[in-house]
């Protein structure tokens, strides 16, 4: 690890106190007005979808049908959650080259892909090969950086991500990590230190990027208060090329504080968040709804949720 990421300096800076990113919160009227006057940082003509949201349709109908339907709805970019479909569709498994042709034929672009953290450890170059075949600029994981929720565990994870990120950079790609709520918990060995801050401060910004899942960030805020999700992005906007636009409806009876719902049906402060992060960098907005395959009626099921959520996101970005 380079001298820029000095462990002792980090531990001295955070000892005995929460890393107070909330102190750099951008909720003031002046900041909000300035952002509003300069425009939003999520391009309204680049709305993307995480295919995990419609995983049932990808499996059963196949990429050809699904990608054509997503293009019809208006999605422009695709984030993958695997590259397989039911083998009965072609009599064999689809190839990456065939998926790339389907993207091109439908005017779609692959923006990123979630792969298992184990794959990054054992098959990093293979995953980078796949990304380049599909023409996507980002490759990432939705796994937590470490299962060891100590400062030492997250420092070790940061070193690992720095190595992977440098390899991705060498191939012209950007490596990213997608958060859930647990990354915003406090370290078990230093309860004044937030795990996310350890990871963010000790990963090299030249090589390691973040995909903020906004829903899970607000769940993290609910469970472990003391930070503002927008402040992380405002502080280092270029480290967040991708967002997950996942909506949540407040549910005080749940430990997480929210239920996952279709975009526009919840009460997460999306308009405020988007304005508060400021316009300094462009972030691709990717719709995701973990529960979409359970949407009724089915058909259209998850594809119906995808279309309604696209309309709601488009409406938000056109305000």
């Amino acid at each position: 690890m380079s001298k820029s990421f000095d462990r002792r300096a980090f531990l001295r800076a955070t000892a005995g106190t929460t890393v107070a990113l909330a102190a750099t919160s951008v909720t003031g009227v002046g900041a909000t007005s300035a952002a509003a006057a300069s425009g939003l940082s999520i391009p309204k003509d680049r709305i993307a979808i995480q295919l995990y949201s419609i995983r049932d349709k990808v499996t059963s109908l196949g990429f050809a049908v699904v990608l054509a339907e997503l293009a019809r709805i208006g999605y422009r970019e695709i984030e993958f959650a695997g590259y397989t479909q039911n083998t009965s569709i072609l009599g064999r498994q689809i190839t990456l080259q065939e998926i790339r042709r389907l993207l091109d034929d439908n005017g779609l672009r692959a923006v990123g892909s979630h792969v298992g953290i184990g794959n990054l450890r054992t098959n990093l170059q293979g995953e980078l090969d796949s990304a380049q075949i599909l023409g996507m600029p980002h490759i990432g994981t939705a796994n937590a950086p470490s299962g060891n929720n100590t400062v030492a565990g997250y420092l070790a994870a940061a070193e690992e991500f720095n190595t992977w990120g440098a390899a991705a950079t060498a191939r012209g790609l950007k490596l990213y990590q997608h958060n859930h709520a647990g990354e915003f918990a406090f370290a078990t060995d230093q309860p004044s230190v937030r795990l996310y801050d350890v990871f963010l401060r000790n990963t090299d910004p030249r090589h390691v990027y973040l995909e903020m899942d906004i829903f899970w960030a607000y769940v993290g805020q609910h469970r472990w208060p003391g930070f503002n999700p927008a402040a992380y992005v405002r502080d280092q906007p270029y480290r967040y090329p991708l967002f997950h636009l996942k909506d949540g409806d407040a549910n005080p009876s749940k430990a997480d504080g929210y239920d996952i719902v279709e975009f526009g049906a919840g009460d997460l402060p999306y308009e405020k968040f988007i304005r508060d992060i400021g316009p300094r960098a462009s972030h691709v907005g990717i719709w995701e709804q973990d529960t979409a395959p359970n949407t009724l009626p089915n058909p259209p099921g998850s594809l119906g949720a995808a279309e309604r959520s696209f309309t709601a996101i488009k409406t938000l970005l056109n305000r």
Side-chain angles (χ1 to χ4, degrees):
M1 185 177 292
S2 69
K3 293 181 181 177
S4 315
F5 304 99
D6 187 284
R7 293 186 183 186
R8 290 191 189 126
F10 171 80
L11 294 172
R12 282 197 302 272
T14 57
T17 181
T18 299
V19 178
L21 286 179
T24 61
S25 171
V26 292
T27 55
V29 173
T32 302
S33 299
S38 303
L40 301 179
S41 61
I42 300 179
K44 59 187 176 184
D45 59 347
R46 291 187 61 189
I47 300 172
I49 181 172
Q50 164 53 251
L51 291 185
Y52 181 73
S53 306
I54 54 170
R55 55 197 179 275
D56 58 322
K57 302 304 185 196
V58 173
T59 298
S60 63
L61 301 178
F63 284 104
V65 172
V66 165
L67 294 180
E69 177 62 8
L70 294 177
R72 182 199 68 77
I73 290 170
Y75 287 101
R76 290 294 172 260
E77 302 194 58
I78 303 296
E79 184 181 38
F80 286 88
Y83 311 124
T84 61
Q85 62 185 26
N86 194 311
T87 54
S88 66
I89 295 169
L90 294 175
R92 56 173 173 79
Q93 194 49 258
I94 193 169
T95 67
L96 291 173
Q97 290 79 3
E98 287 169 328
I99 296 174
R100 174 64 185 271
R101 283 197 295 273
L102 291 172
L103 290 167
D104 293 343
D105 290 347
N106 286 286
L108 297 169
R109 179 185 184 225
V111 70
S113 181
H114 284 186
V115 302
I117 198 168
N119 289 33
L120 296 178
R121 290 194 178 103
T122 62
N123 187 34
L124 177 62
Q125 292 302 327
E127 292 294 353
L128 299 178
D129 289 342
S130 297
Q132 291 190 317
I133 290 170
L134 291 168
M136 58 194 176
H138 308 95
I139 183 78
T141 183
N143 294 133
S146 175
N148 179 354
N149 290 342
T150 64
V151 170
Y154 265 63
L155 285 171
E159 288 194 17
E160 195 171 36
F161 271 81
N162 284 336
T163 299
W164 299 337
T169 300
R171 299 278 296 269
L173 301 168
K174 291 181 178 181
L175 175 79
Y176 64 95
Q177 192 270 340
H178 164 287
N179 66 275
H180 288 85
E183 290 91 322
F184 296 100
F186 294 102
T188 56
D189 59 336
Q190 295 191 47
S192 61
V193 177
R194 199 178 298 277
L195 293 169
Y196 194 79
D197 298 336
V198 178
F199 186 72
L200 184 63
R201 290 186 173 209
N202 289 276
T203 44
D204 190 331
R206 299 169 301 174
H207 303 308
V208 181
Y209 298 85
L210 291 302
E211 175 181 61
M212 180 173 280
D213 186 303
I214 297 169
F215 170 86
W216 288 117
Y218 277 101
V219 171
Q221 183 192 61
H222 172 81
R223 296 184 63 183
W224 300 283
F227 73 94
N228 173 9
Y232 281 106
V233 183
R234 180 83 174 189
D235 188 50
Q236 298 190 55
Y238 296 98
R239 294 202 71 182
Y240 292 87
L242 310 171
F243 288 146
H244 269 195
L245 306 181
K246 179 186 302 176
D247 210 350
D249 195 36
N251 184 347
S253 69
K254 291 187 67 172
D256 284 348
Y258 297 93
D259 291 314
I260 297 173
V261 295
E262 287 184 17
F263 200 92
D267 49 18
L268 288 182
Y270 265 98
E271 185 169 5
K272 184 178 187 307
F273 175 90
I274 291 171
R275 295 191 183 280
D276 282 357
I277 63 177
R280 290 168 53 205
S282 181
H283 316 274
V284 177
I286 304 169
W287 172 69
E288 184 183 48
Q289 183 187 336
D290 308 34
T291 59
N294 300 325
T295 301
L296 297 174
N298 192 0
S302 57
L303 283 171
E307 183 158 18
R308 290 186 294 272
S309 294
F310 175 87
T311 299
I313 293 170
K314 191 82 169 175
T315 299
L316 171 66
L317 298 180
N318 278 325
R319 285 178 187 165

